Amino acid sequence: MIPGEIGLMVYHWDADGVASAAMILRDRRVHRLAVPRIGHYTAQAIPVGEVDLSLPLLILDYGLGMRELEKLESRVRGGVVVVDHHLTDAESRGNVRVYNPSPGRAPSTTWVLRDLIQNPPLLPLLVGVAGDVGVELRDPVGREVEALLGEAGWSYGDVLELAERLNSCAPLLDYRCLLKAPRRLLEYGDDLDKALGDEDWMEAKERVEGEVEKLLAEAAAEERGGVLVYRLTSPLYLASRIGRRLAAANPGRIVVVVFDRMDGYTEIYVRRIGGGLSGPLNRLRELGLPVGGKDTVFASQIPSPEAEGILEMFLQVLVEFMGVEENG
Ligand SMILES: [Mn+2]
């Protein structure tokens, strides 16, 4: 199970990651917290630094596959423990322990943690679910969540609001916010109103929304065989926020956001309301491209000088797929 003493706890930079870390902090001794380099999903993105590697490394909600975990395993004598709900090939082997009972199906990592710790704290548990699932909460999880909300006297909308605020630290590349958030969330206990009064989190969301509105107002699509392509650039890390909005504004269409980041990488983000992207996603994987995601959304981070060539491959696969869909 989860070790009682943890050398380094690494968590994903979103609300589910933060909330998962809060759940662990309640009754585990954690020497150090860290967030991977935002926007990157590799072993290398984890700042292992000067940690006491004789103690276990705990990785929460980060979606790493076996290959990346093995790179870490060789460096951490205390072992690597993973709790996740992403669709990955990670499994317990050697010095790696993986808790991910239904890869790609549990609503959040906090939901997986619920079965791994005693009396899980309710607010982080639900913040994790709201952060990852958003408004599209479905049964059977929906029914259970409704029951828990009823007991606490909370509305899902309020929990969602808190999750959206916690999801706003990462777009601002605000590592300080992310490193402080688990402890703070834990300190708010079951006082949702007090957590909603947190001014730093409130302000983070306002700043992100301001930038999102600005970018959306300027966004213009190029069309390529029925696929909508938007090119954007911002000092903030906003590809998924913008992609969600543009997909929602164009239901049924494949939306591609090409997002130039300030860290030398370009993110290609593909989303479609109603899904149906598994085909192109698998094809791009077969072509050996570094792409991850699911039926409704997938994305890839590419060094900017190589981005145009890879975008061209994405578009060819997507356009070809659209043609097949139309004729089939
Ligand atoms: Mn998650």
Side-chain angles (χ1 to χ4, degrees):
M1 290 307 235
I2 313 268
E5 191 174 4
I6 294 154
L8 178 65
M9 174 166 70
V10 174
Y11 49 99
H12 194 208
W13 50 77
D14 68 358
D16 185 26
V18 164
S20 298
M23 287 172 82
I24 296 292
L25 278 180
R26 193 195 53 185
D27 44 26
R28 259 56 174 193
R29 181 153 178 241
V30 179
H31 290 254
R32 247 188 64 187
L33 279 64
V35 171
R37 198 166 147 215
I38 292 168
H40 296 262
Y41 291 89
T42 61
Q44 233 193 337
I46 295 178
V48 175
E50 280 119 61
V51 176
D52 180 355
L53 300 176
S54 64
L55 290 171
L57 165 66
L58 175 65
I59 306 177
L60 301 170
D61 191 43
Y62 187 40
L64 288 187
M66 209 61 217
R67 231 175 64 114
E68 298 301 312
L69 291 173
E70 276 166 357
K71 289 183 198 163
L72 289 165
E73 182 193 16
S74 59
R75 297 182 57 186
V76 185
R77 275 175 295 128
V80 178
V81 181
V82 173
V83 184
D84 210 337
H85 70 127
H86 288 94
L87 186 56
T88 77
D89 65 348
E91 57 181 33
S92 296
R93 193 191 297 161
N95 221 359
V96 178
R97 284 274 153 279
V98 178
Y99 301 100
N100 187 354
S102 54
R105 290 214 302 275
S108 66
T109 294
T110 60
W111 202 254
V112 174
L113 277 170
R114 185 181 67 142
D115 297 325
L116 299 175
I117 63 176
Q118 301 270 321
N119 304 316
L122 192 57
L123 188 55
L125 172 66
L126 295 180
V127 162
V129 174
D132 273 19
V133 177
V135 289
E136 290 155 43
L137 190 61
R138 282 188 207 96
D139 289 338
V141 172
R143 205 175 306 129
E144 276 187 77
V145 167
E146 288 300 338
L148 293 170
L149 287 166
E151 276 169 42
W154 300 332
S155 78
Y156 189 59
D158 281 350
V159 177
L160 199 54
E161 173 65 25
L162 181 59
E164 281 172 10
R165 292 180 190 176
L166 285 169
N167 269 331
S168 301
C169 299
L172 302 170
L173 301 172
D174 189 346
Y175 289 92
R176 230 181 112 235
C177 168
L178 286 168
L179 291 172
K180 288 193 324 197
R183 177 85 51 201
R184 254 205 225 183
L185 180 59
L186 192 62
E187 280 166 5
Y188 287 129
D190 279 340
D191 195 338
L192 175 57
D193 286 338
K194 213 166 158 197
L196 284 170
D198 188 297
E199 286 180 11
D200 292 341
W201 296 349
M202 216 182 293
E203 197 195 305
K205 189 186 165 206
E206 276 166 22
R207 279 185 59 199
V208 168
E209 284 188 339
E211 179 72 10
V212 166
E213 294 309 326
K214 212 175 87 194
L215 285 170
L216 284 173
E218 294 162 2
E222 302 156 33
E223 195 157 346
R224 183 69 190 270
V227 176
L228 299 175
V229 184
Y230 294 85
R231 290 169 188 274
L232 299 166
T233 177
S234 166
L236 307 187
Y237 173 64
L238 290 169
S240 70
R241 287 276 174 131
I242 300 276
R244 276 170 194 263
R245 289 283 297 271
L246 291 172
N250 298 282
R253 304 292 295 271
I254 295 180
V255 169
V256 178
V257 178
V258 185
F259 196 90
D260 275 326
R261 302 204 306 231
M262 296 288 145
D263 62 354
Y265 281 78
T266 295
E267 178 154 7
I268 302 178
Y269 181 96
V270 182
R271 193 170 191 109
R272 186 198 210 181
I273 299 291
L277 296 176
S278 298
L281 170 59
N282 287 330
R283 179 81 190 109
L284 289 164
R285 272 199 189 129
E286 282 163 21
L287 291 170
L289 293 173
V291 56
K294 46 192 179 183
D295 192 54
T296 50
V297 58
F298 61 85
S300 182
Q301 288 89 30
I302 302 149
S304 293
E306 296 160 35
E308 273 311 310
I310 293 190
L311 173 64
E312 193 49 41
M313 293 171 81
F314 268 59
L315 290 176
Q316 275 175 21
V317 167
L318 288 168
V319 168
E320 188 184 317
F321 165 80
M322 289 288 289
V324 170
E325 212 178 39
E326 241 164 59
N327 299 327

